[in-house]
Amino acid sequence: MDKVLSAIKPTGQLTLGNYIGALKNFPKYQEDNDVLIFIADYHALTLPIDPQVLYTNTRDICAFYLAAGLDPEKCTIFLQSQVPAHAELATILGNYVHMGELSRMTQFKDKSRSLNEKNIGLGLFTYPVLMASDIVLYQAKKIPVGEDQKQHVELTRDIVERFNHIYGEILVKPEPVISKVGARIMSLSDPTRKMSKSDPKGDIFLKDDLMIIRKKIMQAKTDTGCEVKFDRENKPGISNLLTIYASLKEISIEEAEKEFVGANYGTFKKAVADVTVDILGAFQKRYYEIINSDLIDKVLKSGAIKARELSSKTLNDVKRAIGLYGVL
Ligand code: TYM
């Protein structure tokens, strides 16, 4: 059984991009793999966040995991900050990563660009070290993520290689698992930009009213011409909608294109809206049943106990290997 691990950080409202690129794929692994899915709340601190918002988002993500079909009997769901080994290992692994590597991370460059240099926190810079620790603590092999996280998983591979070269085969090298379709859902109002939690308009949020979701899709920016054809360069809007449609229906882009031969943009958009509203409608119904129950606290409590036990093994192996005295 392979170990599969992934996480979402509780900043902002989750989008359809998070759903397609990550969330909806997690439950597929739980029958035949050892699955660990957590809420990356330490990561949420890397940009300023209101404590009440962080608290609410954290509960929301746990409810979203369950609403998406993750079964706490079949996988481990936990909160990063409730497992001290993540921060401990990050303190250690920080010594095996170079400043140059961290400055080259696209996400760091993107996120720090909008900040004055004096306001760039150390946590934003060292973020990939914490993420590498998250992954290697559980000897996770497969990391299902959207395209924007690929570089972080690749850096984790480099860190593992470097560490193992010095101390022997202690850490497992992970692989990013990125869906062929839907790894990068773009904004509906500007299909050249990634759909993101921090954009208030144009993007579909998982808790949006279903009427709003339909409206956003019907008003999505499309391209010149009238053919429903996948062409990222010349038809970014239609290509994005085709990607959303194909991902939600679990079909290929080619199959989706075939369904709309001869159809106009209006008919096509209505079909995209119908499938999105169907799927998110059922998802929201499950979410609202869970969010007000005591299930969230129960799941996070038992998940933290399991994750603490699992993570302590790797942490102790690492400590022993590097010569930290007094490993219990
Ligand atoms: P986060 O919270 O930014 O995003 C969660 C997941 O959603 C994917 N995603 C998208 N996929 C397709 N289209 C989009 N527009 C889109 N936007 C986001 C992301 O690729 C991601 O898979 N650093 C991570 C959280 C993390 C993590 C980990 C992940 C912390 N430790 C260990 C895996 C393993 C993050 O901030 O994801």
Side-chain angles (χ1 to χ4, degrees):
M1 272 225 279
D2 275 338
K3 288 245 175 77
V4 177
L5 174 139
S6 199
I8 298 181
K9 65 178 181 310
T11 45
Q13 291 283 315
L14 290 210
T15 67
L16 184 63
N18 296 121
Y19 181 81
I20 291 177
L23 196 52
K24 88 173 175 64
N25 305 317
F26 297 162
K28 294 179 193 162
Y29 293 95
Q30 66 189 353
E31 303 303 330
D32 312 314
N33 298 276
D34 203 348
V35 175
L36 294 121
I37 302 289
F38 65 97
I39 303 161
D41 55 349
Y42 276 147
H43 285 268
L45 301 174
T46 55
L47 289 174
I49 185 160
D50 177 89
Q52 189 56 45
V53 172
L54 177 56
Y55 181 87
T56 309
N57 289 349
T58 299
R59 280 186 63 85
D60 263 5
I61 295 191
C62 186
F64 285 149
Y65 284 160
L66 299 170
L70 281 174
D71 177 351
E73 301 289 320
K74 294 183 183 155
C75 67
T76 309
I77 301 173
F78 65 97
L79 192 55
Q80 185 184 34
S81 64
Q82 288 179 343
V83 185
H86 290 246
E88 276 194 68
L89 187 60
T91 300
I92 295 173
L93 289 189
N95 300 298
Y96 303 87
V97 189
H98 309 134
M99 305 267 285
E101 287 172 307
L102 295 177
S103 348
R104 282 194 293 276
M105 291 292 113
T106 313
Q107 227 175 42
F108 172 71
K109 287 197 274 185
D110 286 351
K111 296 207 161 148
S112 56
R113 201 173 292 133
S114 60
L115 298 168
N116 179 315
E117 200 177 321
K118 276 194 262 164
N119 295 333
I120 302 173
L122 187 61
L124 186 65
F125 187 63
T126 57
Y127 179 120
V129 183
L130 181 57
M131 181 157 161
S133 308
D134 298 339
I135 295 171
V136 301
L137 265 182
Y138 302 93
Q139 291 123 25
K141 227 172 172 177
K142 293 184 190 159
I143 317 297
V145 281
E147 208 170 81
D148 62 353
Q149 295 301 321
K150 187 170 172 218
Q151 198 184 28
H152 291 154
V153 183
E154 276 165 359
L155 178 69
T156 306
R157 289 168 64 82
D158 293 343
I159 297 172
V160 166
E161 219 163 78
R162 199 169 296 153
F163 189 92
N164 287 353
H165 183 71
I166 308 173
Y167 302 106
E169 289 299 306
I170 305 234
L171 304 176
V172 171
K173 218 189 222 184
E175 258 172 55
V177 182
I178 296 175
S179 308
K180 266 213 203 100
V181 184
R184 191 174 175 81
I185 299 297
M186 310 306 274
S187 160
L188 295 182
S189 53
D190 175 4
T192 59
R193 191 181 55 70
K194 190 188 78 170
M195 187 179 279
S196 105
K197 291 177 202 153
S198 46
D199 183 47
K201 36 173 212 333
D203 295 346
I204 292 182
F205 299 106
L206 298 185
K207 289 204 296 185
D208 271 349
D209 188 275
L210 297 177
M211 298 274 286
I212 304 273
I213 294 178
R214 183 172 289 283
K215 197 163 153 204
K216 284 181 178 174
I217 295 176
M218 294 311 288
Q219 290 177 348
K221 188 159 187 249
T222 42
D223 321 288
T224 48
C226 55
E227 237 186 322
V228 179
K229 237 185 149 8
F230 190 89
D231 178 347
R232 265 238 189 271
E233 207 137 284
N234 300 308
K235 282 177 166 277
I238 290 294
S239 302
N240 191 38
L241 290 172
L242 268 171
T243 305
I244 292 173
Y245 184 83
S247 312
L248 292 178
K249 293 209 92 172
E250 308 268 349
I251 57 175
S252 67
I253 295 283
E254 294 73 27
E255 283 168 314
E257 277 177 331
K258 267 192 210 138
E259 285 188 33
F260 299 101
V261 175
N264 63 26
Y265 284 174
T267 312
F268 168 56
K269 277 178 164 179
K270 185 175 173 303
V272 180
D274 285 345
V275 67
T276 311
V277 163
D278 259 13
I279 289 179
L280 291 190
F283 176 78
Q284 287 183 359
K285 193 165 168 282
R286 290 192 296 275
Y287 162 84
Y288 285 112
E289 281 160 15
I290 295 160
I291 195 70
N292 296 317
S293 73
D294 59 358
L295 191 58
I296 294 177
D297 290 346
K298 280 194 196 140
V299 166
L300 293 181
K301 190 169 175 195
S302 69
I305 293 169
K306 275 200 262 173
R308 277 183 206 156
E309 196 183 314
L310 290 168
S311 58
S312 68
K313 173 168 183 321
T314 310
L315 183 64
N316 281 341
D317 287 349
V318 166
K319 284 184 172 175
R320 205 172 290 120
I322 63 179
L324 285 176
Y325 187 76
V327 172
L328 297 174

